[in-house]
Amino acid sequence: MKLFQVCYKSIFLFLLFISITRYVFADDLLPIEDDFDISEIVNDIESIETNSNDPQLPTINSRAYVVIDRKSNTILVGKNENQKKKMASTTKIMTALVVIEHVNLSDIVEISKKAASTGGSRLGLKTGDKITISDLLYGLMMRSGNDAAVALAEYVAGSISDFANLMNEKANSLGLSNTHFVTPHGLDEDEHYTTAYELALLSNYAMNNEIFAKIVGTKNYTITINGYPKVLTNTNELLGVLNGVYGIKTGFTNGANRCLVTCCKRSNMDIICVVLGADTKKYRTTDSVKLIEYTFNNFTYVNIEEILSNYFEIWKREKFHTITIAKGVSNHLDITFEELPYSSIPIRNDLIDKLHVYINYESNLNAPIIKGTSIGTMTLELEGTTIYYSNIFINTDIERKNVFDYLYYFYQNFSNIFNSILEMER
């Protein structure tokens, strides 16, 4: 009986250890069934030929995903990209950004008991440890340390809740209306969520910060804790493996499942890929590689500024004379359209010929007209979806005629009529 109890307890403790280990180490140490050859997956997918005349989106396991163009934030591929989802450790993108924008990276932090006892994936900090903000950031983004996240939050704002307020203020300033933060590490909370698209927008903004981009683009790095070195390896499995990948962050909790945000640039195309809710690490990796390869194989940058400018000039030649200005001192109009924030966007190869430009305008105008007044709109559409929308506006003021203008007009016309009569009598 004692032997049975000992065996039972041993089995129970073993299963408990496995369960805790699976949760605690999250991105750092994954279960055995998640082990796989990343290079083999990448090579297999990269070798697939894609028919650009009939592009087929690959099968994706992740519950939500999106690929955006970094230059324009245009969505290239997406599914459930606007649904609120838990985002696990990809939360730390915002954590790092807020820290970088608020404190000196050379500051030294003493680790609190609360930070040292934080569960989930860990940097391995102990109470009383001393470490710089910079090294904490490397531990946060490369090792996905939840203990580092709490230490940073406490140093910057005094508490987790106050730091979450800073995170939400930043989200609001970026227009992320479907994003809300409760913690700096991303462990599951009901009110802690984002969307694949808004996470992509946040990532795009963060990658414009040189310090942030350097950290998430580092494969191996040595930090110092209490004067002793500790070597870190980035949890991002695609960094240094898939062509063009240069960041940004992994994530895993039981509620969020596997998540991955990836920046990838090849030639002149620069994209961000987000996958949320993949069942396994292998799926999140495979999904990300599939989406990235699909995008580079099927999209080409199109100069929409040139398309709009050419159409606008043709329209002016054909329709400009139809615009009249009632009671204006001049009938001469100098018009243009708004400057584009970006000149080119990626368009799927088989849809480039389906781009259409439409112009709507007011043909009967009344003076006075103030410079900058919109007299119409120009829209670029792709299969019924608006790609770009611009106002057409007037570059000069056109004043309204006054009594002297009418008298001068009468004088000119009377003089012309009188001279014509004189000519006829001769």
Side-chain angles (χ1 to χ4, degrees):
M1 187 67 178
K2 287 185 178 180
L3 179 61
F4 174 79
Q5 288 177 336
V6 170
C7 291
Y8 177 81
K9 288 181 179 178
S10 298
I11 292 171
F12 174 78
L13 290 172
F14 175 76
L15 292 174
L16 181 62
F17 173 78
I18 293 296
S19 175
I20 292 173
T21 301
R22 181 185 179 94
Y23 177 77
V24 168
F25 292 102
D27 290 320
D28 304 324
L29 296 178
L30 291 153
I32 294 173
E33 66 268 23
D34 251 352
D35 288 342
F36 59 94
D37 188 336
I38 296 173
S39 298
E40 185 177 324
I41 290 176
V42 170
N43 292 335
D44 286 346
I45 295 175
E46 283 184 327
S47 66
I48 296 174
E49 291 286 338
T50 303
N51 181 1
S52 60
N53 294 321
D54 185 23
Q56 295 296 315
L57 186 66
T59 301
I60 302 296
N61 170 266
S62 301
R63 275 73 169 173
Y65 60 82
V66 74
V67 178
I68 69 166
D69 168 45
R70 283 205 65 193
K71 296 176 184 177
S72 63
N73 284 329
T74 303
I75 296 176
L76 308 182
V77 186
K79 177 185 176 183
N80 299 328
E81 66 270 21
N82 293 312
Q83 286 186 6
K84 293 178 181 178
K85 300 286 183 184
K86 296 183 191 311
M87 63 287 208
S89 287
T90 62
T91 294
K92 292 162 185 166
I93 296 168
M94 178 63 90
T95 304
L97 185 63
V98 171
V99 171
I100 291 169
E101 292 182 350
H102 280 79
V103 296
N104 191 321
L105 302 192
S106 62
D107 290 356
I108 296 175
V109 177
E110 184 172 336
I111 304 303
S112 70
K113 182 178 180 180
K114 181 179 180 65
S117 62
T118 304
S121 54
R122 294 174 46 79
L123 179 57
L125 298 170
K126 300 180 182 67
T127 304
D129 281 350
K130 293 183 179 180
I131 181 173
T132 64
I133 292 290
S134 177
D135 283 352
L136 279 173
L137 285 170
Y138 277 96
L140 176 80
M141 301 308 289
M142 291 182 63
R143 186 67 177 174
S144 202
N146 293 341
D147 45 358
V150 173
L152 288 165
E154 290 179 331
Y155 186 82
V156 172
S159 69
I160 287 177
S161 60
D162 287 340
F163 187 80
N165 289 336
L166 293 178
M167 298 171 80
N168 289 318
E169 286 175 11
K170 188 65 181 180
N172 290 335
S173 73
L174 296 176
L176 307 181
S177 58
N178 290 311
T179 296
H180 189 261
F181 297 98
V182 177
T183 71
H185 42 59
L187 294 178
D188 293 334
E189 295 279 354
D190 288 341
E191 293 304 310
H192 190 92
Y193 55 80
T194 188
T195 70
Y197 179 54
E198 291 196 355
L199 184 55
L201 296 180
L202 171 61
S203 301
N204 196 8
Y205 178 86
M207 289 299 289
N208 288 324
N209 184 293
E210 291 183 6
I211 297 171
F212 179 95
K214 180 182 178 182
I215 293 171
V216 298
T218 301
K219 186 70 174 177
N220 299 290
Y221 190 77
T222 301
I223 64 171
T224 302
I225 305 174
N226 299 325
Y228 295 96
K230 183 181 180 73
V231 179
L232 305 180
T233 299
N234 203 313
T235 60
N236 186 347
E237 63 266 25
L238 293 182
L239 188 64
V241 177
L242 183 64
N243 175 28
V245 170
Y246 60 101
I248 125 171
K249 188 70 187 75
T250 59
F252 167 67
T253 62
N254 290 329
N257 290 337
R258 270 69 178 182
C259 309
L260 181 59
V261 181
T262 310
C263 271
C264 191
K265 183 176 183 180
R266 297 177 190 171
S267 188
N268 66 334
M269 188 174 293
D270 198 356
I271 62 174
I272 289 177
C273 175
V274 176
V275 297
L276 300 178
D279 288 328
T280 65
K281 181 183 176 185
K282 184 174 182 179
Y283 274 130
R284 86 175 179 192
T285 305
T286 304
D287 287 353
S288 297
V289 175
K290 283 180 178 179
L291 289 168
I292 289 168
E293 293 302 322
Y294 173 85
T295 301
F296 284 113
N297 286 333
N298 289 284
F299 284 81
T300 301
Y301 272 110
V302 174
N303 192 326
I304 61 171
E305 183 175 38
E306 183 178 335
I307 292 173
L308 293 172
S309 296
N310 290 341
Y311 188 91
F312 189 65
E313 291 304 316
I314 293 171
W315 172 80
K316 284 202 297 184
R317 287 198 300 268
E318 295 179 351
K319 300 290 185 180
F320 196 50
H321 67 277
T322 64
I323 300 177
T324 61
I325 306 171
K327 302 177 182 179
V329 296
S330 170
N331 281 319
H332 174 70
L333 276 177
D334 178 18
I335 63 173
T336 188
F337 61 92
E338 292 173 295
E339 183 178 349
L340 278 69
Y342 39 84
S343 60
S344 301
I345 59 172
I347 302 292
R348 212 173 74 193
N349 297 333
D350 62 317
L351 298 179
I352 292 175
D353 292 338
K354 297 181 181 180
L355 285 168
H356 295 287
V357 182
Y358 300 95
I359 290 182
N360 294 308
Y361 65 101
E362 291 287 339
S363 58
N364 298 311
L365 306 176
N366 292 303
I369 301 174
I370 301 172
K371 178 182 178 180
T373 299
S374 174
I375 64 166
T377 59
M378 182 164 56
T379 306
L380 179 64
E381 293 187 1
L382 179 63
E383 292 192 317
T385 300
T386 298
I387 301 297
Y388 180 74
Y389 175 92
S390 172
N391 284 303
I392 299 171
F393 58 88
I394 298 177
N395 270 332
T396 55
D397 293 327
I398 299 179
E399 297 179 1
R400 185 185 179 91
K401 289 179 179 178
N402 56 36
V403 62
F404 298 105
D405 293 312
Y406 282 107
L407 287 173
Y408 180 71
Y409 176 80
F410 175 78
Y411 167 77
Q412 273 193 322
N413 280 274
F414 178 79
S415 178
N416 290 336
I417 293 170
F418 181 74
N419 289 332
S420 297
I421 292 172
L422 290 178
E423 287 293 328
M424 290 174 63
E425 289 182 349
R426 288 177 188 170

